Amino acid sequence: MLHRPSLVVALSISLSLVAACGDDGGGGGTIDAPVGGIDAAIDGALPDADPSLAPLIGTWNRAPEADQSTGFPTITFRADGTTATTPTGPADGTYLVPAPGRLKLLPTGQQPIETDFVIGNPSPNPHLILTAFLPQGTVNGLVGTWKNSTISGTTPSTTTMVVRADLTGTLSFTGPSGSTDMVGTWASESTGFAFTTTSPAATYHFRPIGTQAIGYLLFVKA
């Protein structure tokens, strides 16, 4: 059975976070590559930091346009490869960027989790989607197929959101035990769209970064 937080809870628990259960408001801004040089604008960057970490470095707060009941309020990625869930708190673990657009979190004492991420760079506030759903083929605005791939420990899973022009949709979860589909309808919101299912009853508030990704764990750079 697919629960709304199948990805959110896995990510939140593995980060030792509280209250896990999500449009950047900036439209289709340019997307920061997950690799590249470190520039002076990156918070706390060190000259010898792994350049693949550079786009993430700094503190990210849950975006005002995100569902405030989903996920966690803040996360900090440091240049030394550690993470914290408050800007000045102790390290919760470490993180890696094993491939462009992939984030691997290694929380202390818990199993690692690897998932897709996207950073949009609309001026002046970059936005970050964790557990990002990426477009599969051509999408028309929000309409199309979007997929997230996550590895929890050593167990891979995918979650796919199909958004149709007739205002229906399907959210599918595929893991080692098979696949589960949740059907429903979607409606535009000022900053994205809400997908509502009836069995089980749930509503998911997806927020886009242009046509690069959708997701419900949306953050803005502090």
Side-chain angles (χ1 to χ4, degrees), residues 90-198:
D92 294 324
T94 60
Y95 70 103
L96 304 169
V97 179
R102 295 288 290 177
L103 173 65
K104 186 171 186 178
L105 297 158
L106 299 98
T108 302
Q110 299 182 55
Q111 66 180 9
I113 187 164
E114 181 181 321
T115 192
D116 300 305
F117 79 96
V118 166
I119 296 176
N121 194 29
S123 179
N125 298 314
H127 282 67
L128 164 69
I129 295 180
L130 297 179
T131 58
F133 289 66
L134 307 178
Q136 306 300 296
T138 301
V139 296
N140 182 12
L142 298 171
V143 173
T145 299
W146 308 82
K147 184 171 75 173
N148 170 266
S149 299
T150 291
I151 304 171
S152 182
T154 59
T155 303
S157 64
T158 61
T159 305
T160 303
M161 180 72 233
V162 179
V163 182
R164 302 185 184 92
D166 64 359
L167 301 182
T168 64
T170 303
L171 185 62
S172 303
F173 176 80
T174 302
S177 299
S179 298
T180 302
D181 294 339
M182 297 172 63
V183 298
T185 59
W186 66 275
S188 295
E189 297 180 308
S190 61
T191 55
F193 72 96
F195 176 63
T196 302
T197 65
T198 56

Side-chain angles (χ1 to χ4, degrees), residues 7-32:
L7 293 176
V8 178
V9 163
L11 180 60
S12 299
I13 290 175
S14 67
L15 283 171
S16 303
L17 301 174
V18 179
C21 278
D23 169 274
D24 68 339
T30 59
I31 302 301
D32 291 343

Side-chain angles (χ1 to χ4, degrees), residues 78-90:
R78 298 191 179 110
D80 63 1
T82 61
T83 60
T85 54
T86 62
T88 59

